[in-house]
Amino acid sequence: MNQAFRMEPTAVIVVAGEVLVDLVVSPGGQVAARPGGGPYNAARALARLGAPTMFCGGLADDAFGRQLRGHLADDGVLIGVPAPSARPSTLAVAALDQAGRASYRFYLDGTAAADLSYEALSKAMPPGLTAVHVGALGLVMEPAGTAVERLLLTDVPRDVLVLLDPNCRPGAVTDHQAYRRRLAAVARRADIVKASTEDLAYLYQGAPPEQAAVTLLDGGSSLVIVTDGPRPARAFLPDATLEAQVPAVTVADTIGAGDAFGGGFLAWWLAHGHAAADLRAASRQRAEAVAAALRVAVAAAAVTCTRPGADPPTRAELGDCWPDA
């Protein structure tokens, strides 16, 4: 366990959403059970990069649930909702193609990840809250989705930075219009929206990524980051567009890469004293800081792609890819 996290820190990033077990099926048919869930992966990525992090999600009291708790403890992640759910752990089947890309089927109904109430989530919020990271199936399942949306829109102070990573899974959505309305409401509160081109194509059908990014900025977000697989990642600000090249790596699979990307960006941004207000103040320094954080995010995602499952890098593994300023 990271020794720095044995005591509850005074400044905390809260990651709220789902935790599940990925049953990863290789092209040859081998099956491996790995910890997963976008928010869960992001919490581990943040903690491994030195960010004091609390995970708030429904954890079961079965064998999988105990393993998932153990991974959080090993990485130094605080558990915001300690009481276990009586429901079984949530499962996903991730089928890999020859390039290591995963397609998912989810088994959500009646499982622990959905078992997160507003009362439990609100009670978990620490006094030193500095940022909230949300997204993925945590905004799909109920009552968790309603709890996360209510917390963001009614409880989280405006000076607390909010990052939304939609990580859309259309196959898990039963009411697509209601889901898009929820994402739009959360995006208006989010200071940062980090989305893939696939996310934007689903949420803003028929619009190119650039147009979708402008729509999000016009709606209230201060920064929109768009990832596109091996192609350059782009950061859209109201007055600038920045790019970071994606390094060529040998891909084991892409599971958790986007979660490591978001965790890497947020970890660097906060570690260097930047806050939500810095995103709203147009300046050369803002653009330079966003560019530096974007490079860290790309590097974190690239390392994750070289390893099976969602296994984000530590600060030491990023080395010179983590700039001091």
Side-chain angles (χ1 to χ4, degrees):
M1 182 185 294
N2 187 329
Q3 297 295 320
F5 295 156
R6 288 191 182 276
M7 299 293 289
E8 184 165 337
T10 57
V12 185
I13 302 168
V14 166
V15 183
E18 85 275 7
V19 51
L20 51 80
V21 173
D22 284 326
L23 301 178
V24 183
V25 184
S26 73
Q30 294 83 12
V31 180
R34 302 190 185 279
Y40 179 87
N41 299 337
R44 297 181 70 201
L46 282 158
R48 289 186 181 188
L49 292 174
T53 305
M54 174 183 287
F55 176 73
C56 293
L59 284 154
D61 194 27
D62 55 20
F64 280 141
R66 290 187 288 274
Q67 289 178 358
L68 292 166
R69 286 176 183 269
H71 290 305
L72 291 175
D74 289 344
D75 287 329
V77 179
L78 299 166
I79 296 177
V81 183
S85 171
R87 301 178 183 182
S89 291
T90 305
L91 301 178
V93 175
L96 301 179
D97 64 16
Q98 295 296 334
R101 293 183 296 263
S103 58
Y104 293 88
R105 291 288 299 272
F106 297 98
Y107 298 85
L108 309 178
D109 292 347
T111 63
D115 192 15
L116 180 65
S117 69
Y118 166 76
E119 289 74 21
L121 188 57
S122 179
K123 181 181 178 181
M125 293 301 103
L129 182 64
T130 57
V132 179
H133 179 299
V134 298
L137 296 175
L139 292 171
V140 175
M141 300 179 291
E142 294 298 347
T146 296
V148 173
E149 180 183 17
R150 180 179 172 187
L151 182 89
L152 286 176
L153 301 186
T154 65
D155 292 11
V156 175
R158 192 67 185 93
D159 61 345
V160 171
L161 190 152
V162 174
L163 185 149
L164 166 65
D165 181 356
N167 201 4
C168 299
R169 305 298 186 195
V173 177
T174 56
D175 187 334
H176 294 269
Q177 292 305 315
Y179 173 69
R180 289 188 178 99
R181 286 194 298 269
R182 171 170 286 168
L183 264 290
V186 173
R188 286 192 293 271
R189 171 58 186 88
D191 301 283
I192 302 172
V193 177
K194 175 263 162 190
S196 68
T197 52
E198 292 85 358
D199 292 333
L200 296 178
Y202 170 68
L203 295 172
Y204 300 93
Q205 295 179 359
E210 301 82 1
Q211 183 179 332
V214 170
T215 299
L216 286 163
L217 291 172
D218 290 344
S221 300
S222 298
L223 171 65
V224 179
I225 303 171
V226 180
T227 61
D228 191 13
R231 289 163 287 280
R234 291 178 288 174
F236 293 87
L237 293 159
D239 57 347
T241 300
L242 309 170
E243 283 193 357
Q245 297 295 318
V246 174
V249 297
T250 301
V251 176
D253 62 52
T254 62
I255 296 172
D259 311 318
F261 184 107
F265 187 98
L266 192 56
W268 189 92
W269 186 262
L270 295 172
H272 289 79
H274 301 299
D278 297 308
L279 287 169
R280 296 191 285 269
S283 67
R284 186 185 70 180
Q285 289 76 17
R286 176 188 65 172
E288 291 173 347
V290 169
L294 190 65
R295 291 191 294 271
V296 170
V298 166
V303 172
T304 305
C305 286
T306 67
R307 311 198 283 217
D311 186 6
T314 63
R315 171 88 166 266
E317 288 176 308
L318 289 185
D320 293 340
C321 294
W322 180 282
D324 291 332

